[in-house]
Amino acid sequence: MKKFASLFFVSLLSGATTLGAYKLFMEEGSSSSKLSVATENFSKNVGLSAEAVDFTAAAEKAVHNVVHVKNMTVYNVPSNPMMEFFYGTQGGGGQQTQVGTGSGVIISEDGYIVTNNHVIKDATQLEITLNNNKTYKAKLIGTDSKMDIALLKIDANEKLPYATFGNSDTIKVGEWVLAVGNPYNLTSTVTAGIVSAKARDLNNTGIQSFIQTDAAVNPGNSGGALVNTRGELIGINTMISSQTGSYVGYSFAVPSNLARKIVEDLMEFGNVQRGILGIEAGELNSATSKEYGFKETTGVLIGKVSKNSGAESAGLRKNDIITKLDEKSILSFADLTSYINTKRPNDAVNVGIIRDGKNMSVSVKLSKKEMINYELKGIELEDLDNVDMKRFRIDYGVKVKDITNEELAEYADQLKGGVILKIDNIKVNDIETVNKILAKKSENQRSQIEMLTVNGQLLRFLL
């Protein structure tokens, strides 16, 4: 993993100083907050050379939709007693302001803007500059730190140009795209490239699902638009892969379908609604197929079905191979999560499976994520909430809800309410990460656990 990280360093794009449709109407039914979604009656341009594609119309449209985001963070600097003693000064104490910059995309005519969470993280004040150089103060509507999406609002007192959401599921590898943003504070910058890959998972948890392109992006592009040649928004530029921190050929964007779902959730509910199948699963490959005697080498192999989940109610079983969700082919775990992340609790999904060599299809009603707990060898886990994160001063991990493991019974008072930080030296962001890590192990393999006890002590043990 260390070798991989050194060769494939992931850099956030917001610059070194940056701290960071179910319902198409929002806030008291205002029709001006309607999100624009493209129809599907356009021909593709895959296979056409750059000379055969006209980028000008898309670029002209997109630059007016993309804004410059300035993040101002005020923080307290502790005083230096030695400086005060020797020089009679305040020793550097007091408040200082740190400024970071990034990009954003206007998505409604009344001033709603989508950007990256890391662009606006910890901001004391947010300032938006439009392509016409008009500047406005922005307020934060909501965020999804897991998918790195944030929603802002400005009051412009005029109708603003806004982006139309394209269908990121239908884009093809090799299709031409444009990246629009403000790298290095160079406003309204447009670069061209192709879609290099889809459902790209950079941390190997199977949770991420980025669109990879070779359109040049750099620090400051974070939160900017990835558009097709019709100017439709198909992604929010989020990060690059680089050893230097600058563009070297790889850039990644959150797919527009996922970004739109998050935005609609923030508009309607004030938080993100996550639906899950209720399974523990891993990817098929040649080795696992040979081990289980399967002919298939792609798809998602169910290792366990969670109790009281939609998957259990629908009759999904251990060793079922998921090959399709609705009309989407599932080749990997990232394919599965990228599709499920666009759905909400109680949505019905047709799951295509192979069971005992036979193709089947079952309808699964997605469960609410918060209602499903995970059991790890007698440790019942649940995702962290904001209260836990503030209490332990962490931004990742899973909470120990209960202890049923007899070997750990005498330590239950310390462990219950604590937080597991790492499994086998891999950071645990949520229960889905736990699922992905353990899906690669046999039932008899032990795992190295690193956790904080309820009293904040760091423990490491084998389980």
Side-chain angles (χ1 to χ4, degrees), residues 31-37 61-62 64-66 105-113 159-165 231-233:
S31 60
S32 58
S33 296
K34 183 177 181 180
L35 303 183
S36 178
V37 182
K61 181 179 180 181
H64 296 296
N65 303 332
V66 175
V105 185
I106 304 172
I107 55 171
S108 71
E109 64 181 16
D110 60 339
Y112 281 88
I113 295 167
K159 292 183 178 181
L160 299 175
Y162 58 91
T164 296
F165 280 90
E232 299 162 358
L233 184 67

Side-chain angles (χ1 to χ4, degrees), residues 184-322:
Y184 301 117
N185 282 325
L186 300 173
T187 59
S188 305
T189 298
V190 180
T191 56
I194 62 168
V195 175
S196 304
K198 296 173 64 177
R200 184 66 81 195
D201 176 16
L202 299 184
N203 62 13
N204 290 324
T205 63
I207 297 172
Q208 296 177 335
S209 183
F210 293 113
I211 299 170
Q212 179 183 332
T213 79
D214 66 353
V217 295
N218 277 292
N221 272 105
S222 276
L226 185 70
V227 303
N228 57 25
T229 55
R230 298 183 294 276
E232 299 162 358
L233 184 67
I234 61 168
I236 301 298
N237 294 318
T238 298
M239 63 178 66
I240 59 177
S241 173
S242 171
Q243 293 177 320
T244 65
S246 296
Y247 173 76
V248 295
Y250 305 97
S251 59
F252 303 90
V254 177
S256 60
N257 287 7
L258 177 55
R260 179 162 65 91
K261 186 264 182 184
I262 292 170
V263 166
E264 289 172 349
D265 281 356
L266 294 174
M267 287 178 173
E268 183 177 356
F269 305 105
N271 55 49
V272 180
Q273 304 290 297
R274 301 198 190 281
I276 61 173
L277 283 172
I279 61 171
E280 301 167 22
E283 292 179 10
L284 274 182
N285 53 37
S286 294
T288 54
S289 293
K290 184 177 181 180
E291 179 182 350
Y292 287 93
F294 298 141
K295 296 179 180 179
E296 298 76 16
T297 55
T298 60
V300 172
L301 177 64
I302 297 178
K304 183 179 179 181
V305 177
S306 301
K307 294 180 180 179
N308 304 318
S309 66
E312 182 185 53
S313 299
L316 290 180
R317 304 175 188 170
K318 180 179 180 179
N319 291 341
D320 285 347
I321 302 171
I322 298 177

Side-chain angles (χ1 to χ4, degrees), residues 82-95:
M82 295 297 292
M83 291 286 287
E84 292 184 29
F85 179 80
F86 286 107
Y87 301 105
T89 68
Q90 294 300 313
Q95 290 187 332

Side-chain angles (χ1 to χ4, degrees), residues 56-186:
T56 57
E60 173 65 22
K61 181 179 180 181
V63 293
H64 296 296
N65 303 332
V66 175
V67 300
H68 184 269
V69 180
K70 183 184 290 186
N71 169 348
M72 287 160 282
T73 304
V74 178
Y75 60 96
N76 293 316
V77 179
S79 61
N80 187 328
M82 295 297 292
M83 291 286 287
E84 292 184 29
F85 179 80
F86 286 107
Y87 301 105
T89 68
Q90 294 300 313
Q95 290 187 332
Q96 292 189 14
T97 301
Q98 185 168 338
V99 178
T101 61
S103 304
V105 185
I106 304 172
I107 55 171
S108 71
E109 64 181 16
D110 60 339
Y112 281 88
I113 295 167
V114 63
T115 184
N116 286 144
N117 179 64
H118 75 263
V119 169
I120 55 84
K121 185 178 180 181
D122 299 326
T124 306
Q125 183 175 311
L126 292 167
E127 186 178 277
I128 302 296
T129 302
L130 307 185
N131 190 52
N132 60 10
N133 292 326
K134 291 184 178 180
T135 299
Y136 302 91
K137 301 298 182 185
K139 62 180 178 180
L140 178 63
I141 302 301
T143 66
D144 180 4
S145 59
K146 179 178 178 180
M147 296 302 173
D148 202 14
I149 293 293
L151 182 64
L152 312 178
K153 177 71 166 64
I154 61 173
D155 295 320
N157 297 320
E158 61 177 311
K159 292 183 178 181
L160 299 175
Y162 58 91
T164 296
F165 280 90
N167 186 350
S168 54
D169 283 346
T170 63
I171 62 171
K172 297 183 181 297
V173 173
E175 184 173 342
W176 285 102
V177 289
L178 303 178
V180 187
N182 305 287
Y184 301 117
N185 282 325
L186 300 173

Side-chain angles (χ1 to χ4, degrees), residues 356-373:
D356 299 328
K358 298 179 180 179
N359 290 300
M360 302 175 58
S361 180
V362 296
S363 179
V364 178
K365 187 177 181 180
L366 299 184
S367 307
K368 191 171 184 178
K369 184 178 179 181
E370 291 77 10
M371 300 300 292
I372 302 297
N373 296 323

Side-chain angles (χ1 to χ4, degrees), residues 334-458:
D335 286 334
L336 184 146
T337 54
S338 68
Y339 189 77
I340 294 298
N341 282 338
T342 64
K343 302 297 181 181
R344 296 180 177 86
N346 298 319
D347 282 355
V349 177
N350 289 320
V351 181
I353 62 171
I354 298 176
R355 179 183 294 169
D356 299 328
K358 298 179 180 179
N359 290 300
M360 302 175 58
S361 180
V362 296
S363 179
V364 178
K365 187 177 181 180
L366 299 184
S367 307
K368 191 171 184 178
K369 184 178 179 181
E370 291 77 10
M371 300 300 292
I372 302 297
N373 296 323
Y374 183 93
E375 188 169 330
L376 166 62
K377 297 183 179 179
I379 301 179
E380 189 175 337
L381 305 174
E382 62 182 358
D383 285 328
L384 290 177
D385 57 25
N386 291 332
V387 175
D388 294 322
M389 290 183 181
K390 289 180 180 179
R391 177 190 170 194
F392 289 99
R393 297 181 181 180
I394 54 176
D395 58 3
Y396 69 96
V398 292
K399 186 176 180 179
V400 177
K401 185 177 181 180
D402 199 7
I403 299 291
T404 59
N405 188 321
E406 293 182 0
E407 294 181 10
L408 300 174
E410 61 180 300
Y411 308 106
D413 291 342
Q414 299 178 53
L415 302 181
K416 188 175 179 179
V419 177
I420 292 181
L421 302 173
K422 295 181 181 180
I423 298 177
D424 294 335
N425 208 34
I426 300 173
K427 275 188 176 182
V428 175
N429 294 309
D430 50 26
I431 287 176
E432 290 175 84
T433 312
V434 176
N435 170 20
K436 183 62 178 177
I437 295 171
L438 299 182
K440 298 179 179 179
K441 309 185 71 164
S442 68
E443 293 183 5
N444 297 325
Q445 278 186 292
R446 305 189 78 180
S447 298
Q448 182 177 343
I449 307 297
E450 179 179 309
M451 70 171 292
L452 290 172
T453 68
V454 69
N455 297 321
Q457 294 179 313
L458 188 64

